[in-house]
């Protein structure tokens, strides 16, 4: 059977680094296995799901290069969930409950105060037809719980190894709300079964759900001849550098803000997230194919990985230093540097942590600069030795060789006044690369102390 995985975000907020790491791991798993990757929007929470979040998810995944082979939206599938719910009711696995949230809170509080786990007591199973009729005549509407088998639930998790739960230690989960709307615990299983998902790779916050969902898969198989229980992998969730969980509301760690405000390259984020929390070293990679080749879910460790924005920025810089012009031409044009070419990019990229910083160097090579010409006699001698154009990468060496021979200066005394006059700054990209971009006309004027 061919491998099929899914990434199933709820469009109730922006994707943050933690969510998108799970998307990436699923995608890498699929590509490595030659299988397929489904994007599924878990949008049955109609109050909180928003079309702009759904669009944001698609935009973020596309930006990272995580293309999907199949797409599904849970809100398109209510008919199917109703069908499955009807079958589960008929087989007695879904049973109606009438407790109000307040009554349930009281029950929980009383169990907890006795030092017992807050497991639902199945009082609703003891109701007779007359009790139910009376409750409904009082205006109560049922919600529906799934009757768990009180047997062990076991699976071999690709990250956690053997996992064991006792069915009796779990509460029968609510699968259908009072208003008839199905909940995630059910819809996810129906979709995974119908869409023949072979591996469910998600965060370890879902481990207890998995115990319950395995029983739902089995119940579907029994009533419908459908669901095969997938293989599960639960990854430890990313935390921030201090060990705190990343919440969806943490705007600064959203993929959108890393892209739009922090100037992070997609491959920097992918290179980091593919390796964080694994036994592989984090290294700059320029293509997803390289990450696919290196991917193995067995390398994912059970220890909590920490996401450090500084580490991401350092990796971004290392990636920029390697990226060829073609890969950034679009970004440079978007910055207004339409005329930037490979020579410019290669000159400035060693000095960049973010592509947008190229603007500063463009201003040095292509716009008037007020030079720091504080050694005029020396600069005049140097200017007189400027070779005729055309200039290339050897011009700087030829010229400064001549200046050195003529003035007897060397090292910092030779180079710093030239740099300050030519660029207006003490530091920057190698002048060998910048000089031909600045050109003779500008260079001559700047050496004469003129803004040019
Ligand atoms: N919509 C769920 C979430 O975002 C999906 C979890 C799952 O992968 O099953 O947590």
């Amino acid at each position: 059977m061919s491998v099929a995985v899914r990434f199933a975000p709820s469009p109730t907020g922006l994707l943050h680094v933690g969510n998108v790491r799970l998307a990436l791991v699923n995608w890498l798993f699929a590509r490595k296995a030659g299988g397929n990757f489904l994007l599924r929007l878990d949008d049955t929470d109609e109050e909180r799901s928003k079309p702009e979040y759904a669009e944001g998810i698609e935009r973020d995944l596309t930006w990272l290069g995580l293309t999907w082979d199949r797409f599904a939206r849970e809100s398109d599938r209510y008919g199917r969930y109703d069908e499955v719910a009807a079958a589960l009711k008929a087989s007695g696995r879904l049973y109606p409950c009438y407790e109000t949230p307040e009554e349930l809170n009281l029950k929980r509080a009383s169990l907890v105060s006795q030092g017992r786990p807050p497991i639902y007591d199945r009082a609703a199973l003891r109701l007779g037809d007359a009790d139910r009729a009376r409750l409904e005549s009082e205006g109560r509407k049922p919600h529906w719980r799934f009757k768990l088998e009180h047997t062990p639930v076991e699976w071999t998790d690709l990250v956690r190894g053997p996992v064991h739960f006792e069915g009796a230690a779990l509460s029968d989960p609510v699968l259908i709300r009072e208003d008839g709307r199905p909940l995630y615990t059910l819809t996810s299983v129906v979709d995974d079964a119908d869409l023949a998902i072979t591996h469910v790779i998600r965060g370890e916050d879902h481990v207890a759900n998995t115990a319950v969902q395995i029983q739902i898969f089995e119940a579907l198989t029994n009533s419908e001849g459908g669901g095969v229980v997938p293989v599960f992998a639960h990854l430890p969730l990313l935390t921030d550098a201090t060990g705190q969980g990343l919440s969806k509301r943490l705007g600064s760690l959203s993929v959108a803000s890393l892209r739009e405000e922090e100037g992070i390259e997609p491959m920097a984020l992918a290179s980091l997230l593919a390796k964080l929390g694994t036994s592989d070293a984090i290294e700059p990679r320029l293509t997803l194919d390289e990450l696919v080749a290196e991917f193995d879910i067995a390398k994912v460790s059970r220890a909590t990985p920490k996401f450090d924005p500084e580490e991401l920025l350092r990796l971004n810089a290392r990636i920029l230093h390697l990226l060829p012009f073609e890969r950034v031409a679009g970004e440079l044009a978007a910055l207004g540097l339409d005329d930037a070419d490979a020579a410019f990019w290669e000159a400035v990229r060693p000095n960049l942590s973010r592509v947008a910083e190229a603007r500063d160097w463009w201003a040095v090579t292509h716009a008037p600069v007020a030079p720091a010409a504080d050694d005029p006699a020396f600069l005049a001698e140097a200017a007189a030795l400027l070779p005729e154009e055309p200039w290339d990468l050897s011009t700087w060496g030829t010229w400064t060789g001549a200046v050195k021979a003529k003035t007897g200066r060397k090292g910092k005394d030779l180079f710093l006044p030239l740099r300050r006059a030519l660029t207006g700054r003490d530091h920057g990209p190698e002048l060998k690369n910048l000089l031909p971009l600045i050109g003779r006309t500008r260079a001559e004027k700047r050496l004469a102390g003129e803004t040019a």
Side-chain angles (χ1 to χ4, degrees):
M1 188 166 44
S2 90
V3 163
V5 297
R6 84 297 194 281
F7 174 54
S10 305
T12 56
L14 299 173
L15 284 189
H16 61 63
V17 288
N19 315 125
V20 87
R21 167 174 169 259
L22 288 165
L24 176 64
V25 169
N26 272 286
W27 189 90
L28 292 170
F29 188 92
R31 290 291 171 269
K32 183 87 184 194
N36 72 74
F37 174 74
L38 163 76
L39 171 61
R40 183 182 91 204
L41 296 179
D42 283 1
D43 59 350
T44 53
D45 181 345
E46 292 185 354
E47 290 78 31
R48 292 172 57 230
S49 296
K50 299 251 161 20
E52 57 268 31
Y53 290 132
E55 285 157 24
I57 289 166
E58 297 193 27
R59 193 177 322 120
D60 291 346
L61 296 180
T62 305
W63 172 72
L64 269 173
L66 307 185
T67 44
W68 47 97
D69 310 301
R70 296 189 289 169
F71 177 84
R73 204 192 317 262
E74 290 201 323
S75 58
D76 290 340
R77 294 175 38 82
Y78 284 126
R80 174 64 184 144
Y81 307 136
D82 287 348
E83 218 172 270
V84 171
L88 291 173
K89 286 175 189 175
S91 67
R93 292 304 294 277
L94 267 181
Y95 62 95
C97 302
Y98 294 86
E99 293 91 345
T100 63
E102 295 73 27
E103 287 163 353
L104 290 171
N105 280 339
L106 279 177
K107 284 189 188 204
R108 269 193 293 266
S110 135
L111 287 169
V112 169
S113 73
Q114 298 163 50
R116 291 164 55 194
I119 295 172
Y120 176 62
D121 62 7
R122 292 187 162 174
L125 278 180
R126 295 186 291 274
L127 298 173
D129 287 344
D131 301 313
R132 282 193 286 270
R134 178 180 46 78
L135 288 161
E136 296 201 14
S137 74
E138 289 168 8
R140 294 211 193 194
K141 288 212 163 55
H143 55 273
W144 297 76
R145 287 187 191 260
F146 180 72
K147 190 167 167 237
L148 290 168
E149 311 262 20
H150 285 179
T151 51
V153 185
E154 281 165 344
W155 75 93
T156 303
D157 195 287
L158 293 184
V159 175
R160 303 168 72 83
V163 182
H164 175 109
F165 275 87
E166 283 301 327
L170 299 165
S171 263
D172 288 345
V174 177
L175 298 190
I176 311 284
R177 302 199 314 191
E178 220 178 78
D179 62 3
R181 202 78 67 64
L183 288 168
Y184 156 79
T185 311
L186 173 64
T187 56
S188 181
V189 172
V190 174
D191 295 341
D192 289 342
D194 287 354
L195 298 168
I197 296 300
T198 58
H199 295 76
V200 170
I201 304 170
R202 57 186 175 185
E204 68 182 10
D205 50 333
H206 286 290
V207 171
N209 283 341
T210 295
V212 163
Q213 288 182 326
I214 284 176
Q215 288 209 5
I216 302 176
F217 274 108
E218 288 166 351
L220 294 190
T221 312
N222 296 340
S223 62
E224 313 230 313
V228 174
V229 181
V231 175
F232 288 90
H234 294 89
L235 276 66
L237 298 182
L238 292 191
T239 67
D240 68 13
T242 68
Q244 305 282 313
L246 307 175
S247 116
K248 258 190 200 168
R249 278 158 283 279
L250 222 52
S252 66
L253 294 183
S254 70
V255 176
S257 109
L258 293 175
R259 174 179 64 238
E260 282 148 31
E261 276 134 55
E262 302 301 324
I264 296 299
E265 294 301 310
M267 279 313 300
L269 190 58
S271 297
L272 181 66
L273 294 180
K275 302 295 176 64
L276 210 55
T278 75
S279 52
D280 276 350
I282 294 166
E283 293 292 343
R285 296 288 179 250
L286 301 190
T287 62
L288 290 170
D289 285 348
E290 294 165 79
L291 295 176
V292 171
E294 293 163 339
F295 180 80
D296 182 352
I297 197 144
K299 294 178 183 172
V300 176
S301 132
R302 287 197 62 182
T304 301
K306 288 196 167 65
F307 173 77
D308 175 2
E310 294 300 321
E311 185 176 20
L312 178 59
L313 191 57
R314 283 194 297 274
L315 196 58
N316 202 57
R318 291 175 67 196
I319 293 222
L320 288 184
H321 303 169
L322 298 168
L323 274 184
F325 173 67
E326 309 79 71
R327 293 277 299 272
V328 290
E331 274 188 87
L332 291 172
L335 292 170
L337 312 186
D338 308 274
D339 297 331
D341 57 9
F344 170 77
W345 175 246
E346 280 156 28
V348 304
R349 70 180 180 185
N351 288 70
L352 306 181
S353 305
R354 302 172 163 95
V355 171
E357 293 160 4
R359 263 192 305 229
D360 300 345
W361 298 114
W362 185 258
V364 166
T365 54
H366 291 79
V369 163
D374 35 25
D375 202 346
F378 166 68
L379 294 176
E381 278 187 291
L385 294 167
L386 277 175
E388 290 305 321
E389 286 181 317
W391 285 1
D392 58 24
L393 296 181
S394 68
T395 307
W396 170 255
T398 316
W399 176 48
T400 54
V403 177
K404 181 176 172 183
K406 177 87 191 294
T407 63
R409 292 206 194 197
K410 53 183 198 248
K412 203 173 161 202
D413 289 343
L414 171 65
F415 297 122
L416 188 59
L418 296 179
R419 175 178 288 282
R420 286 167 56 80
L422 290 169
T423 68
R425 305 164 188 224
D426 290 354
H427 303 283
E430 281 191 57
L431 281 161
K432 172 178 86 133
N433 297 320
L434 287 186
L435 190 64
L437 301 172
I438 292 170
R440 198 174 194 286
T441 313
R442 279 210 162 95
E444 211 170 6
K445 290 190 178 155
R446 290 180 188 176
L447 290 166
E450 291 170 40
T451 297

